[in-house]
Amino acid sequence: MPDKTPIDPEPPAVNTSAAPTPRGFKGFRRTRPFWGSLILLWSSWMIGSSMLSKQLDFTIFAAFGDRTLPPVLISFAMAAAALIALFVPAQRTFPGIVSVALAIAALPLANLGGLIIGTVAGITGGALIVAWTPYTDEQLTKMAEKDARKRARKAARRPSRSGAIA
């Protein structure tokens, strides 16, 4: 007895994304608070660099004390906040606020906050992280169209490799 169940046709192809997603490093940079995180990482290095060894021979561990621990902890916490904001952009608000508070706390606790430059850069980076908002689908579509036009112009300028000598 033959099977009477109807055969379903192939399901229609579903477009999973409304807008084309940017590719490569440019797409990574556009979809997260990249510059704020980069500035915050630099400021954490500025604040912690006075206590960390420049030659990376780990001589800091021989000199740990009550004056060397706060700059190192503040520096590591700011670097962690920058990396969290960079790789988990949905959770950017809390690390941004914490990094601004740590940058302000570094002023009295960590050699004037990396000679004040680290504190100013930390406040700036944290503020950029908090202020960053993701692009809308329309903005991503416009950027993808602009990138496609740029690639088409570049391809049109490139000489053909057909082997014919002009």
Side-chain angles (χ1 to χ4, degrees), residues 58-103:
F58 301 105
T59 57
I60 181 174
F61 296 137
F64 254 174
D66 60 344
R67 290 290 178 191
T68 59
L69 196 58
V72 171
L73 290 177
I74 289 172
S75 175
F76 285 154
M78 287 175 68
L83 293 175
I84 287 171
L86 185 63
F87 292 110
V88 189
Q91 303 296 325
R92 69 190 177 279
T93 307
F94 184 71
I97 292 170
V98 167
S99 63
V100 169
L102 287 171

Side-chain angles (χ1 to χ4, degrees), residues 60-147:
I60 181 174
F61 296 137
F64 254 174
D66 60 344
R67 290 290 178 191
T68 59
L69 196 58
V72 171
L73 290 177
I74 289 172
S75 175
F76 285 154
M78 287 175 68
L83 293 175
I84 287 171
L86 185 63
F87 292 110
V88 189
Q91 303 296 325
R92 69 190 177 279
T93 307
F94 184 71
I97 292 170
V98 167
S99 63
V100 169
L102 287 171
I104 293 170
L107 198 57
L109 294 175
N111 299 328
L112 288 176
L115 298 176
I116 301 178
I117 297 170
T119 296
V120 171
I123 292 170
T124 304
L128 284 172
I129 288 172
V130 171
W132 179 83
T133 56
Y135 287 114
T136 63
D137 289 339
E138 294 85 24
Q139 290 172 324
L140 287 174
T141 304
K142 285 181 184 178
M143 282 186 234
E145 290 170 357
K146 182 180 176 183
D147 289 344

Side-chain angles (χ1 to χ4, degrees), residues 18-104:
T21 58
R23 292 180 285 172
F25 180 71
K26 186 184 276 189
F28 178 82
R29 185 176 46 88
R30 285 180 177 170
T31 57
R32 36 202 90 236
F34 179 75
W35 293 109
S37 297
L38 198 65
I39 291 171
L40 191 59
L41 277 172
W42 179 68
S43 72
S44 75
W45 178 81
M46 288 292 292
I47 290 171
S49 67
S50 62
M51 294 298 135
L52 297 174
S53 175
K54 302 291 191 284
Q55 294 83 19
L56 294 176
D57 59 357
F58 301 105
T59 57
I60 181 174
F61 296 137
F64 254 174
D66 60 344
R67 290 290 178 191
T68 59
L69 196 58
V72 171
L73 290 177
I74 289 172
S75 175
F76 285 154
M78 287 175 68
L83 293 175
I84 287 171
L86 185 63
F87 292 110
V88 189
Q91 303 296 325
R92 69 190 177 279
T93 307
F94 184 71
I97 292 170
V98 167
S99 63
V100 169
L102 287 171
I104 293 170

